[in-house]
Amino acid sequence: QVRLVESGGGLVQAGESLRLSCTTSGIMFSSYAMGWYRQAPGKQRELVATITSGGTPNYAESVKDRFTISRDNAKNTVYLEMNSLKPEDTAVYYCNVPSRRGWDPAGYDYWGQGTQVTVSS
């Protein structure tokens, strides 16, 4: 059974950077695509970035050219490097493997605790 532990969030000013980490257990990490989601107050959870098992990334338009997803299979960890942060990036960030419904946020029974990112203007 997968277990996900997100970390690295914090309070930063607009324009600054953060690097999030998600450490997994209970799965053969190298075989799985991974995704980062976020949920802002009062909004639905949204997919931010994905990375295939082979390392190919994909990004939501809102974060393209600012965020970089990467993975370290030896550490069972996926990262999200976030640059040029904006106040609208404020959210709780989560990682996950794809569910039976793919990357649909409604398709999951389990989420980690997430990590809070707050960007002040």
Side-chain angles (χ1 to χ4, degrees), residues 79-109:
Y79 303 98
L80 188 67
E81 183 78 31
M82 306 186 296
N83 298 316
S84 303
L85 282 162
K86 304 175 181 180
E88 51 263 44
D89 294 319
T90 295
V92 180
Y93 284 72
Y94 304 86
C95 66
N96 222 321
V97 296
S99 74
R100 293 184 186 137
R101 292 171 61 173
W103 297 112
D104 182 352
Y108 293 96
D109 295 324

PDB file of all heavy atoms in Angstrom, residues 79-109:
ATOM      1  N   TYR A  79      10.304  15.335  -6.859  1.00  0.00           N
ATOM      2  CA  TYR A  79      10.522  16.719  -6.454  1.00  0.00           C
ATOM      3  C   TYR A  79       9.706  17.671  -7.316  1.00  0.00           C
ATOM      4  O   TYR A  79       9.347  17.350  -8.452  1.00  0.00           O
ATOM      5  CB  TYR A  79      12.002  17.084  -6.591  1.00  0.00           C
ATOM      6  CG  TYR A  79      12.930  16.197  -5.816  1.00  0.00           C
ATOM      7  CD1 TYR A  79      13.600  15.140  -6.448  1.00  0.00           C
ATOM      8  CD2 TYR A  79      13.148  16.394  -4.458  1.00  0.00           C
ATOM      9  CE1 TYR A  79      14.454  14.315  -5.747  1.00  0.00           C
ATOM     10  CE2 TYR A  79      14.004  15.570  -3.746  1.00  0.00           C
ATOM     11  CZ  TYR A  79      14.654  14.536  -4.394  1.00  0.00           C
ATOM     12  OH  TYR A  79      15.502  13.712  -3.682  1.00  0.00           O
ATOM     13  N   LEU A  80       9.455  18.849  -6.763  1.00  0.00           N
ATOM     14  CA  LEU A  80       8.857  19.934  -7.536  1.00  0.00           C
ATOM     15  C   LEU A  80       9.627  21.196  -7.202  1.00  0.00           C
ATOM     16  O   LEU A  80       9.512  21.725  -6.092  1.00  0.00           O
ATOM     17  CB  LEU A  80       7.369  20.103  -7.209  1.00  0.00           C
ATOM     18  CG  LEU A  80       6.627  21.082  -8.108  1.00  0.00           C
ATOM     19  CD1 LEU A  80       6.544  20.539  -9.552  1.00  0.00           C
ATOM     20  CD2 LEU A  80       5.229  21.368  -7.571  1.00  0.00           C
ATOM     21  N   GLU A  81      10.430  21.634  -8.158  1.00  0.00           N
ATOM     22  CA  GLU A  81      11.167  22.885  -8.019  1.00  0.00           C
ATOM     23  C   GLU A  81      10.267  24.002  -8.514  1.00  0.00           C
ATOM     24  O   GLU A  81       9.808  23.973  -9.668  1.00  0.00           O
ATOM     25  CB  GLU A  81      12.453  22.829  -8.849  1.00  0.00           C
ATOM     26  CG  GLU A  81      13.329  24.050  -8.728  1.00  0.00           C
ATOM     27  CD  GLU A  81      14.137  24.083  -7.440  1.00  0.00           C
ATOM     28  OE1 GLU A  81      14.498  22.998  -6.938  1.00  0.00           O
ATOM     29  OE2 GLU A  81      14.401  25.181  -6.939  1.00  0.00           O
ATOM     30  N   MET A  82      10.010  24.967  -7.648  1.00  0.00           N
ATOM     31  CA  MET A  82       9.085  26.046  -7.985  1.00  0.00           C
ATOM     32  C   MET A  82       9.831  27.367  -7.958  1.00  0.00           C
ATOM     33  O   MET A  82      10.337  27.771  -6.897  1.00  0.00           O
ATOM     34  CB  MET A  82       7.930  26.068  -6.984  1.00  0.00           C
ATOM     35  CG  MET A  82       7.212  24.730  -6.858  1.00  0.00           C
ATOM     36  SD  MET A  82       5.746  24.808  -5.811  1.00  0.00           S
ATOM     37  CE  MET A  82       6.499  25.227  -4.262  1.00  0.00           C
ATOM     38  N   ASN A  83       9.912  28.006  -9.097  1.00  0.00           N
ATOM     39  CA  ASN A  83      10.587  29.297  -9.222  1.00  0.00           C
ATOM     40  C   ASN A  83       9.587  30.391  -9.569  1.00  0.00           C
ATOM     41  O   ASN A  83       8.469  30.107 -10.013  1.00  0.00           O
ATOM     42  CB  ASN A  83      11.666  29.208 -10.302  1.00  0.00           C
ATOM     43  CG  ASN A  83      12.739  28.196  -9.973  1.00  0.00           C
ATOM     44  OD1 ASN A  83      13.216  28.120  -8.846  1.00  0.00           O
ATOM     45  ND2 ASN A  83      13.131  27.399 -10.960  1.00  0.00           N
ATOM     46  N   SER A  84      10.017  31.623  -9.378  1.00  0.00           N
ATOM     47  CA  SER A  84       9.177  32.784  -9.706  1.00  0.00           C
ATOM     48  C   SER A  84       7.775  32.613  -9.130  1.00  0.00           C
ATOM     49  O   SER A  84       6.775  32.800  -9.827  1.00  0.00           O
ATOM     50  CB  SER A  84       9.104  32.978 -11.228  1.00  0.00           C
ATOM     51  OG  SER A  84      10.388  33.128 -11.777  1.00  0.00           O
ATOM     52  N   LEU A  85       7.719  32.277  -7.873  1.00  0.00           N
ATOM     53  CA  LEU A  85       6.427  31.998  -7.244  1.00  0.00           C
ATOM     54  C   LEU A  85       5.545  33.229  -7.215  1.00  0.00           C
ATOM     55  O   LEU A  85       6.018  34.369  -7.078  1.00  0.00           O
ATOM     56  CB  LEU A  85       6.639  31.453  -5.841  1.00  0.00           C
ATOM     57  CG  LEU A  85       7.040  29.967  -5.807  1.00  0.00           C
ATOM     58  CD1 LEU A  85       7.661  29.595  -4.468  1.00  0.00           C
ATOM     59  CD2 LEU A  85       5.830  29.096  -6.094  1.00  0.00           C
ATOM     60  N   LYS A  86       4.251  32.981  -7.350  1.00  0.00           N
ATOM     61  CA  LYS A  86       3.246  34.034  -7.364  1.00  0.00           C
ATOM     62  C   LYS A  86       2.257  33.795  -6.217  1.00  0.00           C
ATOM     63  O   LYS A  86       2.087  32.643  -5.787  1.00  0.00           O
ATOM     64  CB  LYS A  86       2.482  34.013  -8.687  1.00  0.00           C
ATOM     65  CG  LYS A  86       3.352  34.122  -9.919  1.00  0.00           C
ATOM     66  CD  LYS A  86       2.512  33.974 -11.179  1.00  0.00           C
ATOM     67  CE  LYS A  86       3.376  34.062 -12.434  1.00  0.00           C
ATOM     68  NZ  LYS A  86       2.563  33.921 -13.673  1.00  0.00           N
ATOM     69  N   PRO A  87       1.581  34.842  -5.772  1.00  0.00           N
ATOM     70  CA  PRO A  87       0.577  34.638  -4.713  1.00  0.00           C
ATOM     71  C   PRO A  87      -0.473  33.589  -5.094  1.00  0.00           C
ATOM     72  O   PRO A  87      -0.937  32.846  -4.217  1.00  0.00           O
ATOM     73  CB  PRO A  87      -0.044  36.031  -4.556  1.00  0.00           C
ATOM     74  CG  PRO A  87       1.067  36.959  -4.932  1.00  0.00           C
ATOM     75  CD  PRO A  87       1.794  36.267  -6.043  1.00  0.00           C
ATOM     76  N   GLU A  88      -0.797  33.480  -6.366  1.00  0.00           N
ATOM     77  CA  GLU A  88      -1.802  32.490  -6.791  1.00  0.00           C
ATOM     78  C   GLU A  88      -1.286  31.059  -6.736  1.00  0.00           C
ATOM     79  O   GLU A  88      -2.041  30.121  -6.956  1.00  0.00           O
ATOM     80  CB  GLU A  88      -2.329  32.813  -8.194  1.00  0.00           C
ATOM     81  CG  GLU A  88      -1.254  33.049  -9.236  1.00  0.00           C
ATOM     82  CD  GLU A  88      -0.949  34.520  -9.447  1.00  0.00           C
ATOM     83  OE1 GLU A  88      -0.829  35.254  -8.438  1.00  0.00           O
ATOM     84  OE2 GLU A  88      -0.809  34.911 -10.624  1.00  0.00           O
ATOM     85  N   ASP A  89      -0.004  30.866  -6.446  1.00  0.00           N
ATOM     86  CA  ASP A  89       0.524  29.522  -6.226  1.00  0.00           C
ATOM     87  C   ASP A  89       0.273  29.043  -4.793  1.00  0.00           C
ATOM     88  O   ASP A  89       0.558  27.880  -4.476  1.00  0.00           O
ATOM     89  CB  ASP A  89       2.031  29.486  -6.502  1.00  0.00           C
ATOM     90  CG  ASP A  89       2.375  29.740  -7.950  1.00  0.00           C
ATOM     91  OD1 ASP A  89       1.676  29.213  -8.840  1.00  0.00           O
ATOM     92  OD2 ASP A  89       3.352  30.479  -8.202  1.00  0.00           O
ATOM     93  N   THR A  90      -0.238  29.911  -3.958  1.00  0.00           N
ATOM     94  CA  THR A  90      -0.535  29.537  -2.580  1.00  0.00           C
ATOM     95  C   THR A  90      -1.538  28.397  -2.531  1.00  0.00           C
ATOM     96  O   THR A  90      -2.631  28.500  -3.103  1.00  0.00           O
ATOM     97  CB  THR A  90      -1.073  30.743  -1.797  1.00  0.00           C
ATOM     98  OG1 THR A  90      -0.035  31.733  -1.701  1.00  0.00           O
ATOM     99  CG2 THR A  90      -1.518  30.334  -0.400  1.00  0.00           C
ATOM    100  N   ALA A  91      -1.163  27.311  -1.874  1.00  0.00           N
ATOM    101  CA  ALA A  91      -2.003  26.117  -1.829  1.00  0.00           C
ATOM    102  C   ALA A  91      -1.317  25.067  -0.959  1.00  0.00           C
ATOM    103  O   ALA A  91      -0.144  25.218  -0.595  1.00  0.00           O
ATOM    104  CB  ALA A  91      -2.221  25.551  -3.227  1.00  0.00           C
ATOM    105  N   VAL A  92      -2.044  24.016  -0.662  1.00  0.00           N
ATOM    106  CA  VAL A  92      -1.435  22.807  -0.116  1.00  0.00           C
ATOM    107  C   VAL A  92      -1.074  21.922  -1.308  1.00  0.00           C
ATOM    108  O   VAL A  92      -1.909  21.676  -2.183  1.00  0.00           O
ATOM    109  CB  VAL A  92      -2.370  22.068   0.845  1.00  0.00           C
ATOM    110  CG1 VAL A  92      -1.691  20.809   1.384  1.00  0.00           C
ATOM    111  CG2 VAL A  92      -2.785  22.982   1.991  1.00  0.00           C
ATOM    112  N   TYR A  93       0.150  21.455  -1.324  1.00  0.00           N
ATOM    113  CA  TYR A  93       0.651  20.653  -2.433  1.00  0.00           C
ATOM    114  C   TYR A  93       0.742  19.187  -2.015  1.00  0.00           C
ATOM    115  O   TYR A  93       1.217  18.862  -0.917  1.00  0.00           O
ATOM    116  CB  TYR A  93       2.019  21.168  -2.872  1.00  0.00           C
ATOM    117  CG  TYR A  93       1.926  22.439  -3.680  1.00  0.00           C
ATOM    118  CD1 TYR A  93       1.586  23.648  -3.079  1.00  0.00           C
ATOM    119  CD2 TYR A  93       2.162  22.437  -5.058  1.00  0.00           C
ATOM    120  CE1 TYR A  93       1.477  24.819  -3.827  1.00  0.00           C
ATOM    121  CE2 TYR A  93       2.064  23.592  -5.811  1.00  0.00           C
ATOM    122  CZ  TYR A  93       1.723  24.776  -5.185  1.00  0.00           C
ATOM    123  OH  TYR A  93       1.610  25.934  -5.924  1.00  0.00           O
ATOM    124  N   TYR A  94       0.288  18.330  -2.927  1.00  0.00           N
ATOM    125  CA  TYR A  94       0.249  16.895  -2.697  1.00  0.00           C
ATOM    126  C   TYR A  94       0.884  16.165  -3.877  1.00  0.00           C
ATOM    127  O   TYR A  94       0.836  16.641  -5.003  1.00  0.00           O
ATOM    128  CB  TYR A  94      -1.190  16.393  -2.593  1.00  0.00           C
ATOM    129  CG  TYR A  94      -2.053  17.051  -1.547  1.00  0.00           C
ATOM    130  CD1 TYR A  94      -2.740  18.220  -1.828  1.00  0.00           C
ATOM    131  CD2 TYR A  94      -2.198  16.472  -0.298  1.00  0.00           C
ATOM    132  CE1 TYR A  94      -3.545  18.812  -0.877  1.00  0.00           C
ATOM    133  CE2 TYR A  94      -3.011  17.057   0.663  1.00  0.00           C
ATOM    134  CZ  TYR A  94      -3.688  18.230   0.366  1.00  0.00           C
ATOM    135  OH  TYR A  94      -4.490  18.809   1.314  1.00  0.00           O
ATOM    136  N   CYS A  95       1.392  14.981  -3.611  1.00  0.00           N
ATOM    137  CA  CYS A  95       1.838  14.116  -4.699  1.00  0.00           C
ATOM    138  C   CYS A  95       0.977  12.854  -4.687  1.00  0.00           C
ATOM    139  O   CYS A  95       0.283  12.556  -3.705  1.00  0.00           O
ATOM    140  CB  CYS A  95       3.314  13.750  -4.548  1.00  0.00           C
ATOM    141  SG  CYS A  95       3.672  12.723  -3.118  1.00  0.00           S
ATOM    142  N   ASN A  96       1.023  12.132  -5.799  1.00  0.00           N
ATOM    143  CA  ASN A  96       0.336  10.851  -5.849  1.00  0.00           C
ATOM    144  C   ASN A  96       0.755  10.087  -7.090  1.00  0.00           C
ATOM    145  O   ASN A  96       1.338  10.655  -8.034  1.00  0.00           O
ATOM    146  CB  ASN A  96      -1.192  11.011  -5.828  1.00  0.00           C
ATOM    147  CG  ASN A  96      -1.862   9.990  -4.922  1.00  0.00           C
ATOM    148  OD1 ASN A  96      -1.448   8.828  -4.869  1.00  0.00           O
ATOM    149  ND2 ASN A  96      -2.895  10.405  -4.206  1.00  0.00           N
ATOM    150  N   VAL A  97       0.474   8.809  -7.071  1.00  0.00           N
ATOM    151  CA  VAL A  97       0.591   7.979  -8.264  1.00  0.00           C
ATOM    152  C   VAL A  97      -0.739   8.058  -9.009  1.00  0.00           C
ATOM    153  O   VAL A  97      -1.741   8.450  -8.421  1.00  0.00           O
ATOM    154  CB  VAL A  97       0.904   6.517  -7.885  1.00  0.00           C
ATOM    155  CG1 VAL A  97       2.250   6.410  -7.198  1.00  0.00           C
ATOM    156  CG2 VAL A  97      -0.198   5.928  -7.020  1.00  0.00           C
ATOM    157  N   PRO A  98      -0.780   7.698 -10.268  1.00  0.00           N
ATOM    158  CA  PRO A  98      -2.065   7.734 -10.981  1.00  0.00           C
ATOM    159  C   PRO A  98      -3.026   6.697 -10.416  1.00  0.00           C
ATOM    160  O   PRO A  98      -2.636   5.603 -10.029  1.00  0.00           O
ATOM    161  CB  PRO A  98      -1.687   7.425 -12.429  1.00  0.00           C
ATOM    162  CG  PRO A  98      -0.338   6.826 -12.377  1.00  0.00           C
ATOM    163  CD  PRO A  98       0.333   7.354 -11.169  1.00  0.00           C
ATOM    164  N   SER A  99      -4.292   7.072 -10.334  1.00  0.00           N
ATOM    165  CA  SER A  99      -5.324   6.163  -9.852  1.00  0.00           C
ATOM    166  C   SER A  99      -5.908   5.387 -11.027  1.00  0.00           C
ATOM    167  O   SER A  99      -5.474   5.539 -12.180  1.00  0.00           O
ATOM    168  CB  SER A  99      -6.422   6.943  -9.142  1.00  0.00           C
ATOM    169  OG  SER A  99      -7.215   7.638 -10.085  1.00  0.00           O
ATOM    170  N   ARG A 100      -6.948   4.603 -10.752  1.00  0.00           N
ATOM    171  CA  ARG A 100      -7.630   3.887 -11.835  1.00  0.00           C
ATOM    172  C   ARG A 100      -8.302   4.851 -12.800  1.00  0.00           C
ATOM    173  O   ARG A 100      -8.628   4.488 -13.928  1.00  0.00           O
ATOM    174  CB  ARG A 100      -8.670   2.947 -11.237  1.00  0.00           C
ATOM    175  CG  ARG A 100      -8.054   1.819 -10.457  1.00  0.00           C
ATOM    176  CD  ARG A 100      -9.115   0.865  -9.955  1.00  0.00           C
ATOM    177  NE  ARG A 100      -8.522  -0.147  -9.088  1.00  0.00           N
ATOM    178  CZ  ARG A 100      -9.056  -0.545  -7.952  1.00  0.00           C
ATOM    179  NH1 ARG A 100     -10.201  -0.027  -7.552  1.00  0.00           N
ATOM    180  NH2 ARG A 100      -8.461  -1.469  -7.226  1.00  0.00           N
ATOM    181  N   ARG A 101      -8.498   6.099 -12.322  1.00  0.00           N
ATOM    182  CA  ARG A 101      -9.078   7.126 -13.184  1.00  0.00           C
ATOM    183  C   ARG A 101      -8.009   8.067 -13.720  1.00  0.00           C
ATOM    184  O   ARG A 101      -8.290   9.224 -14.045  1.00  0.00           O
ATOM    185  CB  ARG A 101     -10.144   7.890 -12.401  1.00  0.00           C
ATOM    186  CG  ARG A 101     -11.357   7.038 -12.076  1.00  0.00           C
ATOM    187  CD  ARG A 101     -12.331   7.698 -11.127  1.00  0.00           C
ATOM    188  NE  ARG A 101     -12.877   8.933 -11.652  1.00  0.00           N
ATOM    189  CZ  ARG A 101     -13.852   9.608 -11.056  1.00  0.00           C
ATOM    190  NH1 ARG A 101     -14.368   9.163  -9.933  1.00  0.00           N
ATOM    191  NH2 ARG A 101     -14.296  10.735 -11.576  1.00  0.00           N
ATOM    192  N   GLY A 102      -6.799   7.562 -13.760  1.00  0.00           N
ATOM    193  CA  GLY A 102      -5.708   8.386 -14.264  1.00  0.00           C
ATOM    194  C   GLY A 102      -5.364   9.489 -13.299  1.00  0.00           C
ATOM    195  O   GLY A 102      -5.204   9.241 -12.094  1.00  0.00           O
ATOM    196  N   TRP A 103      -5.299  10.705 -13.771  1.00  0.00           N
ATOM    197  CA  TRP A 103      -4.905  11.836 -12.943  1.00  0.00           C
ATOM    198  C   TRP A 103      -6.102  12.631 -12.424  1.00  0.00           C
ATOM    199  O   TRP A 103      -5.930  13.706 -11.859  1.00  0.00           O
ATOM    200  CB  TRP A 103      -3.976  12.768 -13.711  1.00  0.00           C
ATOM    201  CG  TRP A 103      -2.683  12.131 -14.113  1.00  0.00           C
ATOM    202  CD1 TRP A 103      -2.274  11.840 -15.378  1.00  0.00           C
ATOM    203  CD2 TRP A 103      -1.626  11.705 -13.237  1.00  0.00           C
ATOM    204  NE1 TRP A 103      -1.024  11.251 -15.339  1.00  0.00           N
ATOM    205  CE2 TRP A 103      -0.603  11.163 -14.046  1.00  0.00           C
ATOM    206  CE3 TRP A 103      -1.439  11.718 -11.852  1.00  0.00           C
ATOM    207  CZ2 TRP A 103       0.578  10.647 -13.525  1.00  0.00           C
ATOM    208  CZ3 TRP A 103      -0.261  11.201 -11.324  1.00  0.00           C
ATOM    209  CH2 TRP A 103       0.732  10.681 -12.163  1.00  0.00           C
ATOM    210  N   ASP A 104      -7.297  12.107 -12.562  1.00  0.00           N
ATOM    211  CA  ASP A 104      -8.491  12.764 -12.031  1.00  0.00           C
ATOM    212  C   ASP A 104      -8.403  12.835 -10.514  1.00  0.00           C
ATOM    213  O   ASP A 104      -8.357  11.800  -9.841  1.00  0.00           O
ATOM    214  CB  ASP A 104      -9.729  11.984 -12.452  1.00  0.00           C
ATOM    215  CG  ASP A 104     -11.016  12.625 -11.984  1.00  0.00           C
ATOM    216  OD1 ASP A 104     -10.977  13.600 -11.189  1.00  0.00           O
ATOM    217  OD2 ASP A 104     -12.085  12.150 -12.408  1.00  0.00           O
ATOM    218  N   PRO A 105      -8.384  14.025  -9.932  1.00  0.00           N
ATOM    219  CA  PRO A 105      -8.243  14.135  -8.462  1.00  0.00           C
ATOM    220  C   PRO A 105      -9.347  13.411  -7.701  1.00  0.00           C
ATOM    221  O   PRO A 105      -9.143  13.020  -6.548  1.00  0.00           O
ATOM    222  CB  PRO A 105      -8.315  15.647  -8.216  1.00  0.00           C
ATOM    223  CG  PRO A 105      -7.915  16.280  -9.502  1.00  0.00           C
ATOM    224  CD  PRO A 105      -8.410  15.358 -10.568  1.00  0.00           C
ATOM    225  N   ALA A 106     -10.504  13.222  -8.317  1.00  0.00           N
ATOM    226  CA  ALA A 106     -11.610  12.543  -7.646  1.00  0.00           C
ATOM    227  C   ALA A 106     -11.425  11.028  -7.601  1.00  0.00           C
ATOM    228  O   ALA A 106     -12.213  10.332  -6.962  1.00  0.00           O
ATOM    229  CB  ALA A 106     -12.917  12.875  -8.348  1.00  0.00           C
ATOM    230  N   GLY A 107     -10.389  10.535  -8.245  1.00  0.00           N
ATOM    231  CA  GLY A 107     -10.217   9.095  -8.339  1.00  0.00           C
ATOM    232  C   GLY A 107      -9.425   8.458  -7.215  1.00  0.00           C
ATOM    233  O   GLY A 107      -9.167   7.259  -7.243  1.00  0.00           O
ATOM    234  N   TYR A 108      -9.059   9.252  -6.201  1.00  0.00           N
ATOM    235  CA  TYR A 108      -8.159   8.755  -5.155  1.00  0.00           C
ATOM    236  C   TYR A 108      -8.884   8.493  -3.838  1.00  0.00           C
ATOM    237  O   TYR A 108      -9.756   9.245  -3.427  1.00  0.00           O
ATOM    238  CB  TYR A 108      -7.047   9.765  -4.882  1.00  0.00           C
ATOM    239  CG  TYR A 108      -6.094   9.931  -6.039  1.00  0.00           C
ATOM    240  CD1 TYR A 108      -6.253  10.964  -6.953  1.00  0.00           C
ATOM    241  CD2 TYR A 108      -5.034   9.055  -6.207  1.00  0.00           C
ATOM    242  CE1 TYR A 108      -5.374  11.113  -8.014  1.00  0.00           C
ATOM    243  CE2 TYR A 108      -4.151   9.196  -7.261  1.00  0.00           C
ATOM    244  CZ  TYR A 108      -4.327  10.229  -8.161  1.00  0.00           C
ATOM    245  OH  TYR A 108      -3.457  10.371  -9.212  1.00  0.00           O
ATOM    246  N   ASP A 109      -8.454   7.410  -3.169  1.00  0.00           N
ATOM    247  CA  ASP A 109      -8.900   7.132  -1.811  1.00  0.00           C
ATOM    248  C   ASP A 109      -7.891   7.616  -0.787  1.00  0.00           C
ATOM    249  O   ASP A 109      -8.228   7.775   0.390  1.00  0.00           O
ATOM    250  CB  ASP A 109      -9.108   5.626  -1.622  1.00  0.00           C
ATOM    251  CG  ASP A 109     -10.226   5.096  -2.495  1.00  0.00           C
ATOM    252  OD1 ASP A 109     -11.221   5.811  -2.685  1.00  0.00           O
ATOM    253  OD2 ASP A 109     -10.095   3.963  -2.989  1.00  0.00           O
TER     254      ASP A 109
END
